[in-house]
């Protein structure tokens, strides 16, 4: 184990701690990640005494001496050394009140400190004093849970979750990230304490949810959220997608599980959180738009457009950004059926140009989303779709090379129209501008100045406008 603490910083902390005669340990996620072989740059140091004093002296002993950031209210201090972030805290005993996450804090022993941590795998500590350097202190047998891939609270789970209900999200997040099972008693306690999640701020919940989104298989987390009843509290729109309605014995597919399949399928193809969010939300308006029509079966008319309208409300409530990231997700949701429709019909140049124009630089992401969206069990159907998609991609490439539509700026703009016909901004300018854009996208004229100018003159004549002399 000693070799696991080979980073120079641990020797430095060890020496200072011995000089100050303070019992000191490295604890929590860093220790867990050593055993999981996950490299980590966040180090938590706990000492029996003042973490702030220890941090100050450690900083003094380092060359060059780093700045110490002190958070008096929390009794913690942080310093950066090389690429490591090291946080120092005094060992604590905490007790919580029913209606708040604010604990009453008292100084305590290492064991008190380990007792108040979230999971057995996060409560392990390694000694840093000379007498026990590198020795594992693991009162809850976290090592065995690591080997058995189990998430379990060190104390009675009702106490651990009630103390800090964010841990409900953390249990599900760790289970998703690490592929661990949640121990039966811990799982039941999540169900029993789920209402307590309501005292946690949206900012902290979304941080966990985004970590679930970035995990290798996000569906694990969403299924756990659903099974524990957390989903309906924090994300009712997604909960609504679960289940199959039947009319005259005809059901539609379960949109919750379909969505999770799409999300898992997109993961290997993108590290872009917002493309993953687009996958999660692409069918979000299906419950709101579903309708059974005789002779046609289940329909979800305009679910993409209604989905676009639902997104700002969801983003605002969940404290997701309301900026271009949201608009990107809206664009993906709005366009998510277009390449499929395109591939089902004869792929015309005009349809491809329009898609390129609307998707712009996000066209590749849109294609990635659409490919992930093909989850049919019918393998012939899947093959046919994927083959057609190849054609769409090829056609997109050809047209893009020929016409450079992606960042299309019409070669004749509103200014020129106004100047040519001596106009103030008015309806006619808009009509001519749109007509030029449509003519180019439909392939009536090429994307160049001369053809666009001639077309403008024709269109203006139709509208009865006269050229300025
Ligand atoms: N911890 C806790 N309860 C919380 C948050 C944290 O008991 N709600 C404890 C755990 O012992 C955890 C340590 O504080 O290991 C550090 O927390 P944090 O840095 O948030 O998480 P890590 O476990 O390091 O994991 P990650 O970096 O993946 O979030």
């Amino acid at each position: 184990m000693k070799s696991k603490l080979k980073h120079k910083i641990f020797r430095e902390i060890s020496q200072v701690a011995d000089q100050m005669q303070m019992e000191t340990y490295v604890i929590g996620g860093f220790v867990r990640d050593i055993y999981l072989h996950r490299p980590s740059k966040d180090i938590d140091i706990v000492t029996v005494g003042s973490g702030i004093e220890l941090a100050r002296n450690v900083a003094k002993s380092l060359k060059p001496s780093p700045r110490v950031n002190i958070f008096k209210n929390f009794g913690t201090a942080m310093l950066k050394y090389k690429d490591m972030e090291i946080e120092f805290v005094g060992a604590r005993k905490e007790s919580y009140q029913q209606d708040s996450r604010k604990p009453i804090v008292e100084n305590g022993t290492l064991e008190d400190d380990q007792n108040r941590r979230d999971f057995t795998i996060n409560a392990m500590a390694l000694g840093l004093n000379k007498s026990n350097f590198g020795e594992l202190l693991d009162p809850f047998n976290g090592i065995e849970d690591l080997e058995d891939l189990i998430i379990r609270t060190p104390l009675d789970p009702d106490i651990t979750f009630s103390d800090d209900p964010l841990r409900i999200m953390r249990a599900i997040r760790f289970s998703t990230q690490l592929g661990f099972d949640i121990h039966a008693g811990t799982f039941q306690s999540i169900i029993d304490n789920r209402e307590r999640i309501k005292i946690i701020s949206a900012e902290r919940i979304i941080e966990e949810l985004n970590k679930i989104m970035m995990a290798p298989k996000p569906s694990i987390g969403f299924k756990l959220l659903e099974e524990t009843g957390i989903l309906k509290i924090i994300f009712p729109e997604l909960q609504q997608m679960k289940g199959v309605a039947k009319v005259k014995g005809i059901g539609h597919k379960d949109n919750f599980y379909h969505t999770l399949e799409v999300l898992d399928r997109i993961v290997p193809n993108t590290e872009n959180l917002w493309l993953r969010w687009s996958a999660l939300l692409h069918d979000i308006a299906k419950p709101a738009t579903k309708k059974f029509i005789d002779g046609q079966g289940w329909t979800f008319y305009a679910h993409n457009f209604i989905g676009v309208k639902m997104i700002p409300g969801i983003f605002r409530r969940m404290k997701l950004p309301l900026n271009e990231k949201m608009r990107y997700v809206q664009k993906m949701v709005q366009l998510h059926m277009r390449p499929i429709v395109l591939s089902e019909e004869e792929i015309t140049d005009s349809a491809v140009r329009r898609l390129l124009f609307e998707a712009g630089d996000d066209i590749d992401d849109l294609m990635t989303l659409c490919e992930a969206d093909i989850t049919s069990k019918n393998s012939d159907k899947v093959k046919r779709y994927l083959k057609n998609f190849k054609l769409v991609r090829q056609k997109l490439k050809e047209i893009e090379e020929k016409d450079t539509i992606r960042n299309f700026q019409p070669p004749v703009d509103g200014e020129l129209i106004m100047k040519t016909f001596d106009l103030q901004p008015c309806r006619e300018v808009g009509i001519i501008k749109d007509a030029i854009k449509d003519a180019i996208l439909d392939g009536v004229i090429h994307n160049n100045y001369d053809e666009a100018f001639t077309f403008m003159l024709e269109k203006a004549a139709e509208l009865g406008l006269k050229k300025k002399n």
Side-chain angles (χ1 to χ4, degrees):
M1 190 69 248
K2 287 191 180 175
S3 64
K4 299 262 162 69
L5 291 182
K6 61 177 180 267
H7 199 290
K8 190 172 157 248
I9 189 69
F10 293 114
R11 288 281 165 202
E12 290 289 341
I13 298 172
S14 177
Q15 273 177 17
V16 175
D18 277 342
Q19 270 162 22
M20 296 174 75
Q21 298 188 335
M22 287 169 82
E23 227 185 281
T24 301
Y25 306 87
V26 52
I27 195 164
F30 186 83
V31 179
R32 175 200 68 219
D33 287 344
I34 289 178
Y35 290 98
L36 288 173
H37 306 287
R38 288 165 101 214
S40 167
K41 295 184 186 327
D42 290 331
I43 303 177
D44 287 317
I45 302 291
V46 66
T47 187
V48 181
S50 165
I52 295 175
E53 282 312 306
L54 179 63
R56 282 201 174 115
N57 286 328
V58 169
K60 264 190 224 152
S61 78
L62 296 170
K63 304 268 166 313
S65 174
R67 213 182 105 93
V68 183
N69 292 308
I70 294 172
F71 308 94
K72 266 232 167 75
N73 293 347
F74 298 97
T76 64
M78 199 272 284
L79 59 85
K80 286 190 183 163
Y81 181 69
K82 302 205 165 143
D83 56 346
M84 312 289 237
E85 251 185 38
I86 310 156
E87 195 166 318
F88 294 80
V89 64
R92 290 185 285 198
K93 199 178 185 162
E94 288 182 2
S95 55
Y96 291 78
Q97 293 158 311
Q98 258 303 303
D99 55 347
S100 130
R101 290 189 63 227
K102 276 226 177 76
I104 304 159
V105 185
E106 293 168 57
N107 293 335
T109 62
L110 171 70
E111 207 172 318
D112 291 330
D113 198 279
Q114 286 174 306
N115 276 331
R116 51 165 273 272
R117 290 185 179 259
D118 54 2
F119 306 115
T120 58
I121 61 168
N122 287 344
M124 301 186 292
L126 295 172
L128 284 182
N129 295 93
K130 200 170 175 192
S131 56
N132 67 354
F133 191 84
E135 195 178 295
L136 179 66
L137 293 113
D138 183 17
F140 309 108
N141 215 352
I143 271 291
E144 200 172 298
D145 283 345
L146 264 187
E147 278 163 12
D148 297 342
L149 317 182
I150 301 264
I151 307 283
R152 180 203 322 247
T153 57
L155 305 180
D156 174 347
D158 286 345
I159 297 174
T160 305
F161 287 130
S162 177
D163 280 353
D164 179 1
L166 180 69
R167 291 168 171 168
I168 290 175
M169 291 299 297
R170 283 172 61 90
I172 293 174
R173 186 258 289 187
F174 281 121
S175 169
T176 313
Q177 279 181 326
L178 305 176
F180 280 29
D181 281 333
I182 300 176
H183 187 261
T186 301
F187 189 82
Q188 184 57 45
S189 175
I190 292 180
I191 296 174
D192 297 341
N193 287 286
R194 66 185 172 211
E195 290 297 317
R196 296 268 293 156
I197 200 73
K198 292 179 179 162
I199 67 167
I200 302 297
S201 72
E203 286 85 351
R204 306 196 71 185
I205 291 178
I206 200 67
E207 207 179 297
E208 297 299 324
L209 209 55
N210 280 339
K211 286 183 178 171
I212 292 173
M213 291 293 277
M214 292 312 288
K217 198 173 173 196
S219 64
I220 297 175
F222 285 101
K223 285 179 188 164
L224 287 171
L225 288 169
E226 202 282 321
E227 286 161 18
T228 51
I230 300 289
L231 194 69
K232 63 172 179 284
I233 301 174
I234 65 168
F235 205 159
E237 298 86 352
L238 199 57
Q239 177 73 48
Q240 283 261 310
M241 296 178 86
K242 188 168 176 251
V244 176
K246 272 196 176 161
V247 174
K248 296 180 181 164
I250 304 173
H252 55 77
K253 67 180 161 197
D254 185 308
N255 290 307
F256 178 66
Y257 294 108
H258 163 71
T259 290
L260 296 187
E261 206 180 326
V262 176
L263 181 57
D264 283 349
R265 281 167 54 88
I266 211 164
V267 162
N269 297 321
T270 185
E271 284 296 307
N272 175 351
L273 174 65
W274 305 108
L275 185 51
R276 293 186 184 193
W277 268 99
S278 306
L280 187 69
L281 294 176
H282 76 285
D283 279 345
I284 198 70
K286 277 202 167 171
T289 55
K290 88 176 164 195
K291 203 169 164 193
F292 186 85
I293 299 179
D294 266 332
Q296 225 177 310
W298 285 101
T299 63
F300 304 91
Y301 181 69
H303 74 274
N304 55 333
F305 292 107
I306 306 296
V308 168
K309 292 209 173 118
M310 287 170 72
I311 287 170
I314 294 172
F315 269 48
R316 192 169 300 120
R317 188 189 71 232
M318 293 194 143
K319 298 281 190 264
L320 285 163
L322 301 171
N323 56 14
E324 76 286 348
K325 309 257 173 23
M326 180 182 83
R327 289 191 286 279
Y328 164 91
V329 175
Q330 287 180 300
K331 184 178 182 182
M332 290 292 132
V333 172
Q334 178 172 335
L335 297 177
H336 80 267
M337 289 125 68
R338 286 281 289 280
I340 292 243
V341 174
L342 199 70
S343 75
E344 279 170 339
E345 297 162 355
E346 197 200 337
I347 309 171
T348 65
D349 285 10
S350 152
V352 172
R353 271 192 221 102
R354 283 190 176 275
L355 182 60
L356 264 173
F357 175 66
E358 282 173 61
D361 281 338
D362 300 319
I363 186 70
D364 294 331
D365 289 358
L366 182 65
M367 294 302 289
T368 305
L369 173 60
C370 282
E371 276 181 356
D373 197 11
I374 300 166
T375 62
S376 169
K377 300 254 178 307
N378 176 341
S379 68
D380 284 344
K381 211 166 150 186
V382 172
K383 261 192 218 141
R384 199 174 63 240
Y385 271 126
L386 292 179
K387 198 173 129 229
N388 288 351
F389 261 50
K390 245 196 190 145
L391 275 177
V392 174
R393 279 189 191 269
Q394 191 188 326
K395 197 92 188 175
L396 279 166
K397 204 166 157 244
E398 280 169 25
I399 300 260
E400 177 58 21
E401 275 166 13
K402 196 157 62 117
D403 299 347
T404 51
I405 299 289
R406 249 187 212 223
N407 294 311
F408 173 66
Q409 293 292 343
V412 168
D413 63 9
E415 284 292 316
L416 185 64
I417 299 169
M418 288 193 280
K419 215 172 105 194
T420 312
F421 301 101
D422 198 16
L423 294 171
Q424 294 301 310
C426 62
R427 203 171 66 93
E428 281 76 10
V429 179
I431 295 174
I432 296 172
K433 248 173 78 176
D434 281 348
I436 295 170
K437 182 192 88 189
D438 286 339
I440 293 173
L441 293 177
D442 289 339
V444 176
I445 59 171
H446 288 111
N447 184 13
N448 65 45
Y449 177 85
D450 288 344
E451 288 188 42
F453 195 84
T454 310
F455 185 84
M456 171 191 73
L457 294 178
E458 285 166 20
K459 194 73 204 169
E462 274 173 35
L463 292 171
L465 296 173
K466 289 213 169 61
K467 197 164 174 272
K468 194 174 124 188
N469 293 318

